[in-house]
Amino acid sequence: MLKKRNGLFAAFLGVALLVSGCAGSNSASSSADANTIKVGWFGPLTGPTATDGTLSRDAALLAVEQVNAAGGIGGKQVQLVTEDDQGKPEEALKAVQKLINSDKVVALVNGAYSGPAKTVAPKVQEAKIPMVVAYAVHPDITKGGDYVNRVIYTGDIQGKAMADYAVNDLKKKNIAVLYVNIDYGKSIYGAFKIEAEKLGAKVVIDKPFKMGDKDFSSLLTAIKAANPDALYVVGYYNEAAAIVQQAKEAGIGAQLLGVDGFDSPKYLELGKSNTEDSTFTTSFYTSDQRDIVQKFVKDYTAKYKSEPGMLASQSYDAAMVILEGMKKVGTDKEQLAKAINETKDFEGTSGKITFGADHEVIKPVIFMTIKDGKFRFVHSKVYN
Amino acid sequence: MLAQQLLNGVALGFHYVLIALGLTMVYGVLRLLHFAHGVIYMIGAFAAMIGILYLQLPFAVALLFAMVVSGIVGMSIERFAYRPLRGTHPITTLISGVGISIFLENVFQVMFTSDSRAFPETGITTSIITLTESITITNTKLYIIIAGVVCLGLLYGFLKLTKLGIAIQAAAQDIRAASLMGINVNRVVAVTFMLGSALAAVAGVLVAINFNSISPTMGALPGLKAFCVVVLGGLGSIRGTIVGGLLLGVVESLGDGFMTDLVIDKDAIAFVILILILLIRPSGLFGKHIEKV
């Protein structure tokens, strides 16, 4: 009796594991023929960063569908082949090798985080496949050659932009900084510190924190003692929401400043009314009145039943830059890489996109704030 | 500022104590390292969320509901993952616990996605209590401390004054002798798991309110830290667990507040303490006999 029940339980366990395993496998693999052009996408579809990856894939898919609906590229339909990297560099490498070798994609949309993106970049250069990075900010990704471009600005630009805004516009002199202890946080904070000090402000205290930290009360007690007039938080919405809440609880009244990691509805959901007045830099806002943005917001909302955010916009633009290049020169990889590099004043959802000689994007930085529980546009400015 | 950091540490410490009590009780009775305990903590927070959001329960009832759900899950884990393996090598049961925790964590990720979500409105609004000019505490943190003290009191009373509590103590001393004396050992073990799991659920719910965030992986790190607390205090010693939990909370708070550019980060402090304790005093602060590792 006992044995039988255990057998049943084991069977249940096995089936459940199988189901959860299958949920992670890739979705788009419909039959392909000579009349389709394959574009690869990879990013996290399972694991802790799956939400971001899914948003990115959805937006890239929308870009492809829109182009297909408008007649495709030279009469051919485009197919987006997606691979899950689980947020891990080694899985990303496998995904990219599969996309290049067995799917024979002509270009790649990089919907992954910095770690995986950095790992695959040399392989992609070597295989001479044009790749556009959607939202990974590590500086090394684009350094290896002419095949990798990036539609989001690197951390340096954001740090510089916020330093300019905090010191020149908000007249803040004593700034405290909390930064997430990964490339993203360190590179943005590094540039911020240099620029802020050049402009005559002082960083009175800086403390690193880790992704996944929840209790910031000790850090904030130390920050309160330093008595800053602004608190710059370089991190993502989960931690940022916890920090704004606990900063209020600790009685810190300093102006809260942030980065594009804040730009998610989750920030408002988790941080509630504590998010009020926090101001951050990003690259996209839904109330932008340009046609391209309004059409993107309308189509995205109709298809996915939620408003697109910065991540979706970045990924949509990354795909669009590739598709635009294909419209000009077709699917020859070398020509395509050249066409992508020569992108100039392309109307993207995140502003007019131009690539510099260093394969980095030149486009405006957007400042947003939170009023009455909603994101509000403040102003935008081009930095480089 | 020192006093404020100490207070932060005590609140954090009670959070660890509530989780670690279940671990130490289970170890006391079964000599088993219950690695699925962190998952129970997470299940408690999710159960309360479901209670409030979908069953429209008032907060106090939702908390009880979470304790009951966690208690049942804890008992089921014992029944299906540990009991069939009782008497085998301790590593076998330990691995079984690790397996269960991975399994449940993934089930919750499939059901609720891996994203953090806000804890639903409970009717408790966070307010700040000013103790002195420079020392403040939020009411939610105060609740964690109060809940810690109340649960400890109830647990103490239960273990000392009720028949079942005395049976648990007897089983903790010698499970075979207890069974020869006519104690229903299986029932004792089940009750131990239920109690420990219910305490973990209290911790999970209160922490979820305090941080306004729950996610399927929220139990992983607190579960491991609770394990450090238990070893620090002495495996199976409830007194040691209380001291160990508070100590870890305070050390982490002070480390965070006063030291910058630490070679190790805050979360590693617990594990450094664990290694030191294993090297210097393997039985822990209040442990009676030295375990061979």
Side-chain angles (χ1 to χ4, degrees):
Chain A
M1 181 63 193
L2 191 74
K3 218 171 181 179
K4 195 172 160 195
R5 219 182 291 161
N6 284 343
L8 263 175
F9 182 68
F12 167 68
L13 208 127
V15 169
L17 282 175
L18 203 71
V19 169
S20 69
C22 287
S25 63
N26 67 318
S27 51
S29 55
S30 55
S31 67
D33 53 66
N35 279 327
T36 58
I37 301 171
K38 283 185 178 175
V39 173
W41 177 97
F42 69 97
L45 294 174
T46 54
T49 51
T51 319
D52 289 348
T54 312
L55 288 172
S56 169
R57 181 200 56 193
D58 288 353
L61 199 60
L62 181 67
V64 167
E65 282 175 2
Q66 283 181 354
V67 167
N68 283 341
I73 307 278
K76 289 184 182 178
Q77 292 282 295
V78 181
Q79 187 199 348
L80 191 74
V81 189
T82 63
E83 280 295 323
D84 179 16
D85 74 1
Q86 300 168 27
K88 297 175 187 159
E90 64 275 16
E91 292 296 325
L93 206 53
K94 272 193 246 166
V96 165
Q97 272 162 351
K98 179 185 168 281
L99 288 170
I100 294 175
N101 297 332
S102 76
D103 292 313
K104 310 264 185 232
V105 296
V106 292
L108 284 163
V109 178
N110 183 326
Y113 272 49
S114 278
K118 197 166 70 176
T119 308
V120 301
K123 286 278 163 215
V124 175
Q125 300 273 14
E126 203 182 295
K128 298 198 189 317
I129 305 283
M131 176 165 86
V132 177
V133 179
Y135 61 91
V137 295
H138 193 279
D140 287 354
I141 300 169
T142 51
K143 294 264 192 290
D146 293 333
Y147 283 87
V148 180
N149 284 281
R150 164 157 48 202
V151 289
I152 192 163
Y153 19 73
T154 53
D156 292 9
I157 302 282
Q158 271 198 70
K160 230 168 110 178
M162 186 47 92
D164 171 52
Y165 182 72
V167 182
N168 290 336
D169 293 37
L170 297 176
K171 312 287 176 213
K172 301 295 179 193
K173 289 278 168 250
N174 298 305
I175 301 165
V177 182
L178 281 173
Y179 62 98
V180 58
N181 202 4
I182 54 174
D183 288 336
Y184 177 76
K186 285 187 277 195
S187 67
I188 295 179
Y189 170 49
F192 174 85
K193 187 173 181 179
I194 292 169
E195 189 71 12
E197 285 173 351
K198 208 162 80 189
L199 295 170
K202 219 167 64 198
V203 174
V204 286
I205 182 171
D206 61 347
K207 294 265 183 187
F209 61 87
K210 258 182 21 194
M211 291 277 280
D213 276 358
K214 286 201 167 133
D215 188 356
F216 296 93
S217 49
S218 305
L219 289 176
L220 289 164
T221 302
I223 282 176
K224 192 185 175 191
N227 200 19
D229 51 13
L231 170 58
Y232 186 33
V233 178
V234 188
Y236 297 100
Y237 51 85
N238 271 328
E239 293 79 22
I243 290 171
V244 285
Q245 184 196 338
Q246 291 170 36
K248 278 270 162 63
E249 289 167 7
I252 295 174
Q255 164 71 43
L256 210 107
L257 305 170
V259 288
D260 58 1
F262 283 40
D263 196 358
S264 159
K266 280 269 168 198
Y267 176 59
L268 302 177
E269 182 194 328
L270 298 171
K272 295 190 192 163
S273 61
N274 301 303
T275 58
E276 202 67 11
D277 284 333
S278 47
T279 300
F280 59 90
T281 48
T282 187
S283 56
F284 169 76
Y285 62 110
T286 49
S287 53
D288 191 337
Q289 287 309 313
R290 291 181 300 133
D291 289 347
I292 168 110
V293 177
Q294 287 314 310
K295 181 173 163 37
F296 170 61
V297 172
K298 200 171 129 252
D299 291 356
Y300 188 96
T301 312
K303 189 164 158 66
Y304 301 116
K305 313 284 172 244
S306 69
E307 280 214 339
M310 163 266 176
L311 258 171
S313 147
Q314 285 299 136
S315 307
Y316 178 87
D317 284 357
M320 273 303 184
V321 163
I322 293 174
L323 296 168
E324 192 64 22
M326 278 183 196
K327 276 185 200 161
K328 283 184 198 145
V329 298
T331 55
D332 179 80
K333 287 167 197 141
E334 205 182 325
Q335 296 268 351
L336 182 58
K338 199 157 164 276
I340 291 172
N341 277 317
E342 284 167 358
T343 303
K344 195 171 182 320
D345 292 335
F346 171 70
E347 282 283 351
T349 55
S350 60
K352 276 199 170 71
I353 294 172
T354 300
F355 287 119
D358 54 357
H359 310 292
E360 301 290 358
V361 72
I362 300 168
K363 66 177 181 185
V365 175
I366 289 158
F367 291 84
M368 300 289 284
T369 191
I370 289 144
K371 279 269 174 293
D372 306 322
K374 291 206 172 69
F375 292 121
R376 289 281 157 79
F377 174 71
V378 182
H379 80 150
S380 71
K381 190 170 169 184
V382 179
Y383 295 85
N384 53 28
Chain B
M1 184 167 140
L2 178 67
Q4 176 74 60
Q5 296 289 25
L6 284 175
L7 192 60
N8 291 341
V10 169
L12 188 62
F14 267 106
H15 159 212
Y16 292 144
V17 169
L18 279 174
I19 315 172
L21 277 175
L23 271 183
T24 210
M25 283 168 63
V26 166
Y27 184 85
V29 173
L30 278 185
R31 301 283 178 272
L32 162 72
L33 295 173
H34 175 29
F35 261 96
H37 199 60
V39 169
I40 303 262
Y41 161 92
M42 175 273 289
I43 289 175
F46 272 85
M49 186 268 290
I50 291 167
I52 293 172
L53 217 54
Y54 299 105
L55 309 177
Q56 316 285 340
L57 300 174
F59 174 69
V61 185
L63 180 63
L64 275 177
F65 174 69
M67 290 168 73
V68 170
V69 170
S70 285
I72 290 170
V73 174
M75 277 159 60
S76 314
I77 290 177
E78 190 273 325
R79 179 69 187 76
F80 294 110
Y82 293 146
R83 197 181 297 176
L85 297 170
R86 203 181 290 165
T88 57
H89 194 275
I91 293 290
T92 319
T93 40
L94 189 146
I95 297 292
S96 176
V98 173
I100 284 287
S101 76
I102 294 174
F103 169 67
L104 286 176
E105 218 172 87
N106 279 287
V107 167
F108 272 71
Q109 288 194 10
V110 170
M111 289 197 306
F112 295 99
T113 76
S114 56
D115 235 11
S116 340
R117 55 178 69 208
F119 197 75
E121 289 296 332
T122 52
I124 300 173
T125 43
T126 312
S127 62
I128 298 155
I129 301 158
T130 312
L131 298 177
T132 70
E133 210 173 302
S134 60
I135 305 171
T136 57
I137 186 167
T138 59
N139 56 345
T140 47
K141 275 201 179 137
L142 197 63
Y143 296 153
I144 294 181
I145 296 178
I146 293 171
V149 174
V150 169
C151 288
L152 283 176
L154 289 177
L155 185 67
Y156 183 84
F158 174 78
L159 289 177
K160 291 284 174 211
L161 304 176
T162 67
K163 215 170 155 188
L164 202 55
I166 293 165
I168 290 179
Q169 287 193 59
Q173 280 176 10
D174 190 326
I175 200 161
R176 278 192 63 194
S179 117
L180 291 173
M181 293 299 131
I183 291 173
N184 182 344
V185 171
N186 280 340
R187 209 177 78 179
V188 165
V189 170
V191 168
T192 306
F193 269 87
M194 193 190 76
L195 277 180
S197 302
L199 288 175
V202 172
V205 174
L206 290 176
V207 165
I209 294 176
N210 185 26
F211 296 140
N212 186 35
S213 151
I214 56 175
S215 72
T217 50
M218 67 185 277
L221 199 58
L224 281 179
K225 283 193 187 164
F227 175 64
C228 296
V229 165
V230 167
V231 175
L232 171 63
L235 283 159
S237 158
I238 290 181
R239 198 165 35 136
T241 303
I242 299 166
V243 174
L246 293 177
L247 202 64
L248 181 63
V250 169
V251 168
E252 281 192 356
S253 262
L254 294 182
D256 232 10
F258 289 106
M259 289 183 273
T260 3
D261 302 320
L262 279 180
V263 187
I264 53 165
D265 66 34
K266 176 174 110 176
D267 291 329
I269 293 174
F271 303 107
V272 170
I273 293 178
L274 175 70
I275 292 168
L276 288 179
I277 282 288
L278 287 176
L279 286 174
I280 299 164
R281 197 180 152 80
S283 59
L285 297 176
F286 290 85
K288 288 194 192 77
H289 50 86
I290 293 171
E291 289 286 316
K292 283 181 193 142
V293 181

